[in-house]
Amino acid sequence: MVQFWKVLVIPLLVGACSGTQRPTPPVKGEPVVLPWGAVTLERGSASDRSDRRDAMSAALRTRVAAKLAETDQGIVAYRVLAISGGGSRGAYGAGLLTGWSEHGDRPEFDVVTGISTGALMATHAFLGTAFDEGLQLYRRTRNEDVFKARGKLAAFNDDALLDTAPLRATLSALLTEDIVRRVAEEHAKGRRLYIGTTSLDANTFTVWDMGAIAASDRPDKVQRYRDVIRASAAFPIAFPPVYFEVERPDGTRYTQMHADGGLRQTVFFYDFVDEWQEALRAEGVDASHVRPMLYLLNNDRIHGRVRYSPVKGRTMSIAGASIDTLMRQTLLNSVYRLWVTALSNRADFHIAFIPPDFELSDNSLLFDNAEMEQLYQLGYQRARAGEAWFTQKAPDTVEELARLINPRDTMDRLESGKSAAKP
């Protein structure tokens, strides 16, 4: 996993320490308010549930109905791509998507979600095969394209050890006004692009509707689009958080602090929930006419060889190893949750991940071009050969479902998929 404490030794962090003054924080105890562009997709109150169903119905109205009108087969696929975090290991996913394009059967996804490094590649994955050039970012990005060192005392005076001003410049070049405009065009067709961040002030997972942001008439929409993606990739302590302004009913303003969505979910999707069939019924669509498919692109290993990695008897080393353990468990929980969610809702489940025998470096926050190229080529070759995805068809019976979602067997089943089925 990340092993973020090793960032402490990145070129010994030389230079003057400036300190960081946080913009106006929320008042302790105030109810949480979503910033513009964020949406309610998590389970919550009855009104939240209604909001989720209405948002899904709006997308289904323009997407599924149009698909049904274009086919004489009576059944249409509804495809979702969820892209995980993984830092520089996103090179694997970038290669996989590009190789899949060359294999010739990469579909257009109805929904794409991304977290952390998955957020960085989600836009181009969403826009489709014609935009694969944007995925080449993972072959040429260097440390200096993402961060620069702060002073020796940054851990005590600043909001992070590193400055991500270079990442802001990289995102400005990658996510141009034209790219954002094209996202808005696809949003109008009923397709959806969601990015996840963690609100540190509220300790909640926040989902952002990137198509709605892109389609808005606000003058700051392009900057908001870029800031959400930067926030999703802001691994705490190493990278600074991103602040989003919120306005109270009385007109006063404060900011929310947002960081890496991977703190709460390594990969996510919420639309295959109880409201799915209800939303279809609201649109007059028989659920039997829609075949849902969930693709999980995991930019890490599910399991690897268990080997010692001795931890020094120092506070930061122990803290880092402990956070690694928690992040690893978050990954496994996220994968298992999506597996259960998909199969419980009669969706075919497809998953791709870095093979367990691939030797990864300890630190995914460092951009080692040699390793990234190896990961890119690995994903590219596996996808081009049609071997990247492990597929589990939706179960036909409750008994089969109970067997498939047994938590003792699920991860072993995923890792031992010797021959990946075609997606």
Side-chain angles (χ1 to χ4, degrees), residues 112-161:
V112 174
T113 75
I115 283 181
S116 196
T117 199
L120 293 175
M121 70 175 70
T123 296
H124 292 80
F126 176 75
L127 291 178
T129 59
F131 293 83
D132 283 353
E133 173 58 32
L135 300 174
Q136 301 303 305
L137 171 78
Y138 285 90
R139 305 180 74 183
R140 55 178 179 259
T141 297
R142 303 162 298 171
N143 288 336
E144 51 265 40
D145 298 317
V146 180
F147 57 79
K148 60 183 179 180
R150 281 179 167 171
K152 294 179 181 179
L153 298 180
F156 303 98
N157 294 279
D158 287 305
D159 55 6
L161 297 174

Side-chain angles (χ1 to χ4, degrees), residues 1 262-263 320-331 333:
M1 293 298 288
L263 294 173
S322 300
I323 289 182
D324 265 4
T325 300
L326 293 173
M327 294 292 286
R328 180 70 189 173
Q329 191 57 47
T330 299
L331 165 64
N333 289 345

Side-chain angles (χ1 to χ4, degrees), residues 36 213 216-227 245:
W36 83 267
I213 292 173
S216 75
D217 57 3
R218 293 182 59 116
D220 58 342
K221 64 183 180 182
V222 175
Q223 190 58 52
R224 174 56 56 97
Y225 193 102
R226 295 168 180 164
D227 284 345
E245 192 173 70

Side-chain angles (χ1 to χ4, degrees), residues 198-213:
T198 299
S199 172
L200 296 180
D201 291 317
N203 190 23
T204 57
F205 186 69
T206 302
V207 178
W208 302 80
D209 188 337
M210 305 304 285
I213 292 173

